[in-house]
């Protein structure tokens, strides 16, 4: 009887272990497929529109973690696309006769970092030099999403949507008062000369130091300048007017965005389809995402013997 119990327990452990290993391998394969872009290699047809909707997660560097693209709460995988591949797709689309234009529809996006948005916008400006068009349409425009979309020739918003134009801010949480109430003492090692090393300030100050306030203000001013310079140039709006709109919180509704020339009009999604037909002569548009498009690109071998530049991704903390 004891042998039977041990045998059955071992058998159960073997079955469970096999199932767990099988499940993990499936998730690893799914993660690898998603992190490689998950794009289709089907050929792009004529009258195709490159649709940038952030359905793929754009990352600074290719991920080496097979589980990075998996949301374990929903057990779904989000395709990942390296930033270099995204720029390569936009660059190739500029000279691809099959790609008629770019459709910026970022609803659901917003996790992309500001530095990626800035370089994407620069790439889109280069794309426009080819003579092709860019159209943007969204239900909701966050401030940095609008920064990217302002490069478009035409910008539209859903009639019941919302628009954000509020300026840029930064803040910090201070714990010194809490520590005093709890009787906690914190030892800080920071040379007096390193007044701009502000990471430890929340643990021994109750408000920003003058040095930290100065550097935070300069950072915020620079970010706002990048945003307003781009919008002012693309939309032919004076920067002073853009500052006024933010100071007065004058733009929140679609009608206010149209009135202040931040967008060109209000439309529903199906009306954008009609716009492609009426203004750009595309009767039955086909859409391809960045990941799908770059997956079908072939390497340029015309300069295979030319000197090469390698990209080395260094991620993580910097140690001595």
């Amino acid at each position: 009887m004891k042998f039977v119990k041990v045998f059955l327990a071992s058998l159960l452990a073997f079955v469970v272990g096999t199932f767990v290993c099988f499940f993990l391998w499936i998730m690893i394969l799914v993660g690898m497929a998603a992190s490689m872009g998950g794009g289709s290699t089907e050929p792009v047809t004529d009258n195709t529109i490159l649709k940038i909707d952030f359905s793929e997660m754009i990352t600074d560097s290719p991920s080496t973690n097979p589980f990075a693209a998996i949301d374990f709460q929903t057990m779904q995988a989000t395709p990942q696309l390296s930033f270099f591949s995204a720029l390569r797709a936009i660059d190739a689309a500029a000279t691809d006769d099959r790609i008629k234009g770019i459709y910026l529809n970022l609803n659901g996006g917003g996790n992309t970092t500001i530095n990626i948005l800035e370089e994407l916008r620069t790439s889109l400006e280069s794309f426009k030099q080819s003579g092709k068009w860019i159209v943007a349409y969204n239900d909701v425009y966050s401030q940095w999403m609008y920064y990217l979309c302002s490069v478009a020739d035409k910008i539209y918003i859903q009639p019941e949507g919302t628009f954000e134009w509020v300026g840029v801010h930064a803040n910090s949480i201070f714990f010194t008062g809490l520590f005093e109430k709890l009787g906690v003492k914190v030892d800080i090692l920071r040379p007096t000369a390193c007044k701009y090393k502000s990471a430890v300030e929340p643990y021994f100050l109750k408000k920003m130091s003058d040095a930290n306030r100065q550097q935070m203000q300069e950072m915020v001013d620079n970010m706002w300048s990048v945003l307003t310079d781009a919008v002012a140039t693309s939309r032919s709006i004076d920067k002073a007017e853009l500052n006024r709109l933010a100071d007065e919180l004058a733009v929140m509704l679609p009608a206010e965005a149209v009135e202040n020339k931040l967008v060109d009009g209000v439309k529903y999604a199906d009306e954008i389809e009609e716009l492609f037909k009426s203004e750009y002569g595309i009767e039955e548009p086909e859409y391809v995402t960045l990941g799908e498009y770059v997956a079908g690109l072939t390497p340029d071998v015309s300069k295979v013997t030319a000197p090469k530049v390698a990209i080395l991704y260094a991620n993580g903390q910097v140690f001595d």
Side-chain angles (χ1 to χ4, degrees), residues 114 142-144 163-170 217 219-221 223-225 227-228 242-251:
I114 295 174
S142 67
Q143 198 159 245
W144 286 103
F163 194 96
E164 180 186 72
W165 191 257
V166 296
V168 179
H169 75 281
Q217 186 66 55
M219 180 189 71
V220 167
D221 289 344
M223 293 171 64
W224 182 241
S225 179
L227 200 158
T228 53
L242 293 174
N243 288 329
R244 183 192 70 80
L245 294 175
D247 291 340
E248 298 178 4
L249 299 179
V251 182

Side-chain angles (χ1 to χ4, degrees), residues 24 39 61 73 79-80 98 155 211 214 255 287 296:
L24 287 176
S61 61
Q73 292 184 340
Q80 289 192 346
R98 302 169 301 172
I155 306 174
Q214 176 192 359
Y287 298 101

Side-chain angles (χ1 to χ4, degrees), residues 187-213:
D187 292 326
I188 304 295
L189 300 177
R190 187 185 74 160
T192 305
C194 299
K195 61 181 180 179
Y196 290 101
K197 296 291 186 180
S198 60
V200 294
E201 284 193 358
Y203 304 102
F204 74 96
L205 295 179
K206 293 184 178 180
K207 63 179 182 178
M208 279 188 184
S209 66
D210 292 339
N212 189 28
R213 180 175 293 276

